[in-house]
Amino acid sequence: MDRVEVSISDGKLSGIVQKGVYGNRFVAFRGIPYAKPPIGELRFKDPVPPKPWSGTRDASKYGNVAVQMDFIKQEIIGDEDCLYLNVFTNDINPSKKRAVMVSIHAGGFYMGSGNASFYGPDYIVQKDVVLVTLNYRLGVLGFLNLYDKVATGNQGLKDLIMALTWVQKNISKFGGDSENVTIFGESAGGALTHYLTLSPLSEGLFHKAISQSASVTCPWAFTEPGPSSTNKGFLLAKILGKATEDPKIAYEFLKTIDARKLIETERKNLLTEAERRQILFTCSPTLDHESPNPVFPVDLETLIHRGVKVPYLIGFNSSEGTFNLKSELFGHPKITKEDLSKINADFKMAVLPRVVATLPKIPITLSELRFYYFGDKAISEETLLEYADFLSDEFAIRGIMQTADIQMNNDNSEKTYLYQFSYESPTSLLRNIINNDLPGVSHGEELCYLFYPEIIKELGLSLPASDSEDYKMMKCLTQMWTDFAKTGNPTPSITDLTPIKWTPLKHGGNVFDYLNIDSKPQMKTFRKGEERWDWENARKKL
């Protein structure tokens, strides 16, 4: 095994040269600590810089993943000591410093890692960039907010800021350009990416951003402050045997509980069956005004409307909601015939509480909203596609298009690129994992064309053949994403791989220009007030 050594600010690292799945070679440095283990007194606290080491640290293996429920085995895995990142490049000493891409993994703020199970570097690293993948604290360990200085929330977000600080300090040692860093992620990773573009704490730590299938304005991406009776931290303490409304008592108690027990109790007991069926999450980013160093120093609405000030690429898949209907493997029950019958009898069961609260402002009633998607038809197996459309709009598209609209009306509109990913393939990895037989491209499917998911070995699935349409899409998507990272433009030149010019949003217009990403990509437009997800104009169409 060939070894490569680098010296960074904390000590020496020994990485390995590896052969990629398509034969290309790259250098991998894995399991690099970017913060001290967040254990003991550091649990629920902001991350602190890592301790330097003496000698040479083996960087051939991934570090621990964050404590979480394994979605396939349905058992608790991982370790509280989880703040590690990985660096990949195909040339450690390039003649010119390379663009850096920092991947923020998906998983609803409660699962996932930067490891190769889903985020193998083999595809992206071929495109002459330095790729960084990482872990951050998940669930209650990453997002506990007791609205008191003992636990102020957003620990997982601050982990990401610490990782980006590490990148600024050290990435040049791997041939990376600290002045050209792109952050990107899908789902919760896309929302976290958007959060980082809004927070003053992360200003200057990156220069471009990509949010896939999510933004801060999606209704699941943020937890509003509420009474202690509904605060997940106090509820967790109560379930584990300490009923209190005193944040200091709850904090001291939760600090004593084994990390795996905390996460297991959170996953099994903090959501009602109805909340599970609505794909709600127990913990997510919150306002952290009690922190001396808040991620959000002012209210979120103000930050959102300031817009993203760096070049920004954002979009969604053609049928996001089919994932919600089929995603039982990810810890949420599959929608059954009986569920559909209950939702048919009471449509409110299908609508997120945060969305219900906003309907009067739109204005539209629940019954009008139901009629808008289903007409006079019953909600049943015969109307699953209509239901998937509703879920797509509720969970993803409305929020994403709200963000695109804000971008179109701020000074950075002409550096914002919008897409819809419509490439439908029967051999899509995620389609096969969740046994999705519905048409359209579900939430998460595009990830398999950006990253090599090692999980395909366990599932007995095969790699896209080099003459297949899937392989061509992998080459196309990695080209556009890495070109954007290098230049701020996803199609700087017209080539066989990128045969069309992707134009950005136009400032203040009535149409959203977007790239429809398919076997034959095309520029298209969404018209304000005329699209399905535009509930503000739904009454006109009823």
Side-chain angles (χ1 to χ4, degrees):
M1 190 187 296
D2 289 342
R3 288 276 182 174
V4 179
E5 276 197 14
V6 298
S7 288
I8 62 168
S9 55
D10 300 310
K12 282 186 182 170
L13 292 166
S14 174
I16 55 169
V17 178
Q18 196 165 330
K19 194 174 179 183
V21 289
Y22 288 109
N24 56 305
R25 290 165 78 78
F26 61 89
V27 186
F29 293 86
R30 301 186 178 95
I32 307 168
Y34 67 84
K36 270 188 184 170
I39 58 177
E41 289 303 311
L42 292 180
R43 180 186 282 185
F44 306 131
K45 296 298 186 189
D46 291 1
V48 297
K51 201 175 168 185
W53 58 85
S54 55
T56 301
R57 183 185 175 96
D58 177 23
S60 62
K61 296 182 179 68
Y62 287 105
N64 302 325
V65 303
V67 184
Q68 61 191 276
M69 181 77 79
D70 182 289
F71 72 85
I72 291 180
K73 297 173 186 163
Q74 288 299 298
E75 62 186 30
I76 296 291
I77 58 166
D79 199 291
E80 213 174 344
D81 170 9
C82 64
L83 300 183
Y84 298 95
L85 56 74
N86 319 292
V87 181
F88 307 97
T89 179
N90 62 12
D91 187 352
I92 202 81
N93 292 307
S95 55
K96 184 185 168 198
K97 296 288 184 196
R98 290 181 163 181
V100 180
M101 298 186 74
V102 180
S103 165
I104 301 170
H105 71 74
F109 312 112
Y110 67 88
M111 58 178 268
S113 78
N115 294 8
S117 299
F118 275 98
Y119 294 90
D122 305 48
Y123 303 166
I124 286 178
V125 86
Q126 293 183 53
K127 302 288 187 180
D128 301 337
V129 294
V130 177
L131 174 68
V132 178
T133 65
L134 50 81
N135 304 335
Y136 51 93
R137 281 174 283 179
L138 300 171
V140 70
L141 292 167
F143 296 95
L144 174 73
N145 194 344
L146 298 173
Y147 297 94
D148 181 277
K149 64 178 188 298
V150 294
T152 59
N154 297 333
Q155 299 87 351
L157 252 169
K158 287 183 174 178
D159 292 344
L160 297 172
I161 292 165
M162 179 68 80
L164 290 168
T165 304
W166 183 98
V167 167
Q168 283 299 306
K169 200 171 176 183
N170 295 295
I171 206 67
S172 65
K173 304 290 187 182
F174 303 86
D177 182 356
S178 61
E179 296 298 312
N180 193 8
V181 176
T182 297
I183 55 172
F184 70 122
E186 185 268 345
S187 195
L192 288 165
T193 295
H194 190 196
Y195 277 120
L196 290 167
T197 67
L198 305 179
S199 174
L201 284 192
S202 48
E203 208 170 311
L205 297 179
F206 58 88
H207 312 91
K208 304 177 194 76
I210 303 172
S211 289
Q212 299 164 219
S213 298
S215 74
V216 170
T217 41
C218 292
W220 47 265
F222 181 72
T223 301
E224 306 275 1
S228 56
S229 59
T230 61
N231 181 292
K232 300 298 188 189
F234 289 117
L235 283 173
L236 193 58
K238 185 179 179 182
I239 291 164
L240 288 163
K242 180 69 75 175
T244 180
E245 290 192 2
D246 185 323
K248 292 171 183 64
I249 292 171
Y251 162 75
E252 290 297 341
F253 173 70
L254 291 171
K255 248 184 8 179
T256 68
I257 306 295
D258 176 75
R260 289 183 165 218
K261 177 81 174 165
L262 269 182
I263 296 295
E264 183 174 29
T265 308
E266 176 193 344
R267 291 304 315 146
K268 290 184 175 173
N269 302 97
L270 275 193
L271 290 177
T272 64
E273 192 62 21
E275 286 173 327
R276 280 180 199 282
R277 292 197 179 280
Q278 287 181 319
I279 325 251
L280 282 176
F281 307 137
T282 50
C283 295
S284 66
T286 47
L287 289 180
D288 55 353
H289 292 170
E290 289 77 15
S291 169
N293 194 30
V295 176
F296 308 121
V298 296
D299 70 280
L300 199 55
E301 201 66 21
T302 300
L303 291 170
I304 289 167
H305 280 90
R306 284 179 190 166
V308 177
K309 303 301 184 193
V310 296
Y312 194 35
L313 198 156
I314 185 169
F316 54 87
N317 295 351
S318 65
S319 190
E320 296 273 348
T322 54
F323 178 87
N324 301 44
L325 298 177
K326 298 284 184 174
S327 60
E328 60 183 329
L329 275 177
F330 293 83
H332 299 283
K334 187 175 177 179
I335 299 276
T336 63
K337 204 170 182 176
E338 187 187 348
D339 295 325
L340 292 169
S341 177
K342 285 180 186 171
I343 291 163
N344 186 56
D346 181 10
F347 182 58
K348 192 174 181 180
M349 288 176 67
V351 189
L352 297 175
R354 197 165 170 205
V355 173
V356 172
T358 64
L359 293 182
K361 297 174 200 165
I362 288 175
I364 193 169
T365 65
L366 273 171
S367 58
E368 286 170 334
L369 190 62
R370 178 198 165 123
F371 188 81
Y372 181 56
Y373 283 89
F374 299 95
D376 291 324
K377 296 176 191 168
I379 299 172
S380 66
E381 288 180 322
E382 280 70 54
T383 53
L384 269 186
L385 287 183
E386 287 88 341
Y387 193 20
D389 285 345
F390 167 71
L391 292 172
S392 296
D393 296 347
E394 179 189 34
F395 272 85
I397 302 177
R398 275 179 58 77
I400 290 162
M401 292 307 294
Q402 187 186 340
T403 300
D405 194 36
I406 290 165
Q407 287 303 105
M408 199 151 82
N409 289 296
N410 80 29
D411 293 340
N412 215 38
S413 59
E414 291 176 18
K415 292 181 183 173
T416 301
Y417 294 84
L418 181 67
Y419 73 86
Q420 176 176 289
F421 186 81
S422 304
Y423 174 69
E424 201 173 329
S425 169
T427 48
S428 150
L429 172 73
L430 196 68
R431 177 169 284 274
N432 282 281
I433 289 178
I434 66 175
N435 300 316
N436 183 6
D437 54 0
L438 296 173
V441 184
S442 86
H443 189 69
E445 276 193 67
E446 85 287 5
L447 276 179
C448 308
Y449 304 103
L450 289 170
F451 295 96
Y452 164 60
E454 278 190 1
I455 195 170
I456 67 175
K457 294 178 198 165
E458 291 171 45
L459 298 169
L461 301 169
S462 55
L463 203 61
S466 55
D467 58 351
S468 66
E469 284 295 305
D470 284 2
Y471 182 83
K472 188 180 165 189
M473 179 50 67
M474 179 270 284
K475 297 297 269 188
C476 170
L477 209 58
T478 53
Q479 188 70 48
M480 291 191 296
W481 262 231
T482 56
D483 275 342
F484 178 76
K486 291 170 187 177
T487 69
N489 179 346
T491 55
S493 56
I494 302 300
T495 66
D496 288 348
L497 272 181
T498 55
I500 192 156
K501 183 78 182 157
W502 185 347
T503 53
L505 296 177
K506 291 187 186 80
H507 184 72
N510 282 322
V511 297
F512 297 92
D513 295 328
Y514 73 96
L515 183 69
N516 188 53
I517 302 174
D518 206 337
S519 299
K520 290 182 178 164
Q522 275 182 298
M523 283 304 301
K524 293 188 174 183
T525 55
F526 295 128
R527 306 195 74 82
K528 280 192 184 183
E530 294 178 24
E531 303 300 337
R532 185 191 68 214
W533 55 80
D534 193 342
W535 297 351
E536 286 74 7
N537 289 281
R539 276 183 167 169
K540 295 176 191 170
K541 304 172 199 172
L542 291 175

